[in-house]
Amino acid sequence: MRITLKEVAAATGMSVPAVSHILNRRGNYSPKTCEKVISTAKKMGYRPNSTARAMRSGKTHQIGVVILNSESQKHKYHYMATYEFILGINEYLAEKNYILSLIHLNKVEKLEENSRVFSENVLDGMIVIDSIPKDTCEKLQQQVKNVIWLETNVWEKHCCIHRDEFKVGYQSAKHLIQKGYRELLWCGGLEMENIEPHFSIEQRYAGVKQAADEAGVPLKNLSINWSLWRRELKEWPKIFEMELLEVEKQLTKGIGCIAYNPDVLFWLKEGAARFNRQAGRDFGVICCDETAMLREWYPDAARIGFDRYDFGKKAAEMLLESLENKKTKPESLLLETNVLVEGATC
């Protein structure tokens, strides 16, 4: 037999609204009172009726998170760094008694064939991560009223969160110049076919270029064709050898390299090792980005820190703020990152 909220209230000697507020983590009650209500509800086996709660409040308490990983991609785990955002988002949502639902990009692209997530208005709001195509962004805005754009190519006055990528590039180049490198090499992967580049590529490069121009330091480019790298795994050795020829030509003695992201950094490190060149000894390199994998596999790498977990929490906080205050949308945030890990690679 299902235990009702009224029965829990009777067992605690409190009113139904007070018990409801405590179990839904609302209101200002003492820790002792909250513990009493929560422990009583648990002992009695009370489980909230999400359908009834949604009918009363007009909210489902479900938040969608759109990610690029999809079964339609050949490398569906390519964006593992997104998981760090998701951990932060989920941490904040869980504290506020919300449920996170992951939505893969390929499902959004075919909304007419989609699940109940959109057809039945299951979501209270949505957080969109990474470089989602513009036409998909428009479809999302039509389907869900409350959307936060986290590190996407969308930048508007409200509801967006970006890292200041220009300053990231500028700081990276400045650090190399201060270390004494008199020639810089941008390793950015600008050549991509049929893929909308992430905004950070252009902005990081603009920051690098300004720092180089201010110091009068020559800046060269080493573009990596990511369209080739996204092919089948069996083709990678051949593609790697093709790209190595360009690395050997450009990676001259004493040059300072700026790697767009950890993937480029690992690729550059492995490529240099093929012809016995080592970062920090024969050339310098700093990475504009940081992931958990980089911290674990290459802890000595010079890099600009990026706390995706914290960014995820801020995105969730912004979304819930917009749900509570429907008259005013939250201002967009351009967050600076000043964490420089000097490392041993430059």
Side-chain angles (χ1 to χ4, degrees):
M1 184 176 177
R2 191 181 186 94
I3 301 298
T4 66
L5 194 65
K6 187 176 181 179
E7 290 173 310
V8 176
T12 58
M14 299 179 66
S15 68
V16 172
V19 171
S20 176
H21 286 162
I22 292 172
L23 294 179
N24 287 287
R25 303 179 186 182
R26 297 195 304 268
N28 187 21
Y29 298 90
S30 69
K32 185 177 180 180
T33 300
C34 292
E35 183 180 353
K36 174 185 175 183
V37 171
I38 293 171
S39 62
T40 300
K42 187 176 180 180
K43 289 177 182 177
M44 294 178 69
Y46 171 76
R47 293 184 180 180
N49 188 322
S50 58
T51 302
R53 183 171 61 186
M55 291 177 64
R56 289 193 303 269
S57 66
K59 294 181 180 180
T60 64
H61 280 78
Q62 290 195 53
I63 301 299
V65 175
V66 178
I67 57 176
L68 275 172
N69 305 59
S70 74
E71 295 175 0
S72 64
Q73 290 178 316
K74 292 179 180 177
H75 310 303
K76 58 185 178 181
Y77 305 119
H78 182 72
Y79 295 95
M80 287 298 290
T82 301
Y83 183 62
E84 298 173 46
F85 285 130
I86 293 171
L87 286 176
I89 293 169
N90 189 60
E91 175 75 15
Y92 190 85
L93 293 180
E95 290 175 1
K96 302 298 181 180
N97 210 26
Y98 278 79
I99 298 172
L100 181 151
S101 297
L102 287 181
I103 303 169
H104 293 279
L105 178 60
N106 65 323
K107 292 184 179 180
V108 177
E109 290 171 337
K110 298 180 180 179
L111 293 180
E112 66 278 4
E113 303 173 12
N114 216 334
S115 65
R116 297 170 52 205
V117 169
F118 292 101
S119 62
E120 299 183 16
N121 295 320
V122 172
L123 304 175
D124 287 338
M126 180 180 293
I127 298 172
V128 183
I129 304 175
D130 223 302
S131 51
I132 308 296
K134 290 181 180 179
D135 59 338
T136 304
C137 292
E138 292 172 358
K139 291 179 181 179
L140 290 171
Q141 287 176 316
Q142 292 169 4
Q143 293 291 324
V144 182
K145 184 177 181 181
N146 298 291
V147 181
I148 298 299
W149 307 96
L150 173 60
E151 281 291 295
T152 72
N153 288 345
V154 176
W155 180 254
E156 298 171 350
K157 186 178 179 180
H158 301 99
C159 301
C160 300
I161 300 181
H162 278 189
R163 184 168 75 144
D164 191 335
E165 301 293 359
F166 178 89
K167 288 190 176 180
V168 168
Y170 183 86
Q171 188 177 7
S172 299
K174 198 78 172 176
H175 183 66
L176 287 173
I177 293 167
Q178 290 172 348
K179 285 288 186 178
Y181 294 95
R182 307 316 302 166
E183 185 177 25
L184 300 181
L185 180 66
W186 165 252
C187 307
L190 292 172
E191 301 175 10
M192 295 189 289
E193 301 170 4
N194 303 320
I195 298 174
E196 185 176 344
H198 193 254
F199 76 94
S200 60
I201 296 179
E202 181 180 351
Q203 292 193 10
R204 288 176 191 175
Y205 177 74
V208 169
K209 189 175 186 307
Q210 180 165 316
D213 289 345
E214 288 177 356
V217 173
L219 173 63
K220 299 193 298 183
N221 290 281
L222 175 61
S223 293
I224 301 163
N225 194 323
W226 289 106
S227 297
L228 294 177
W229 280 91
R230 292 188 182 197
R231 293 181 183 176
E232 296 288 355
L233 291 172
K234 63 183 180 182
E235 295 186 40
W236 281 16
K238 179 177 66 176
I239 295 168
F240 188 72
E241 294 299 330
M242 290 166 54
E243 300 281 13
L244 272 181
L245 298 176
E246 187 65 19
V247 173
E248 187 172 12
K249 182 173 70 175
Q250 297 281 10
L251 208 59
T252 56
K253 185 76 174 179
I255 197 169
C257 304
I258 301 100
Y260 163 67
N261 64 11
D263 289 340
V264 175
L265 178 64
F266 288 128
W267 174 85
L268 194 62
K269 177 176 179 286
E270 179 65 20
R274 293 290 189 96
F275 35 88
N276 197 30
R277 295 183 194 173
Q278 181 180 328
R281 183 190 69 187
D282 304 302
F283 66 96
V285 62
I286 186 170
C287 186
C288 293
D289 202 348
E290 181 185 50
T291 62
M293 185 176 72
L294 175 60
R295 291 190 291 270
E296 183 176 349
W297 290 7
Y298 203 179
D300 290 339
R303 59 193 184 271
I304 307 296
F306 190 1
D307 190 343
R308 284 178 170 80
Y309 180 87
D310 186 57
F311 268 58
K313 291 187 71 173
K314 282 183 170 61
E317 182 180 3
M318 181 183 283
L319 180 56
L320 297 195
E321 178 188 334
S322 70
L323 294 178
E324 293 299 324
N325 188 2
K326 296 181 180 180
K327 293 183 179 179
T328 305
K329 292 184 177 180
E331 294 281 338
S332 292
L333 298 176
L334 184 63
L335 303 174
E336 293 188 21
T337 174
N338 299 313
V339 180
L340 169 68
V341 181
E342 292 202 22
T345 57
C346 62

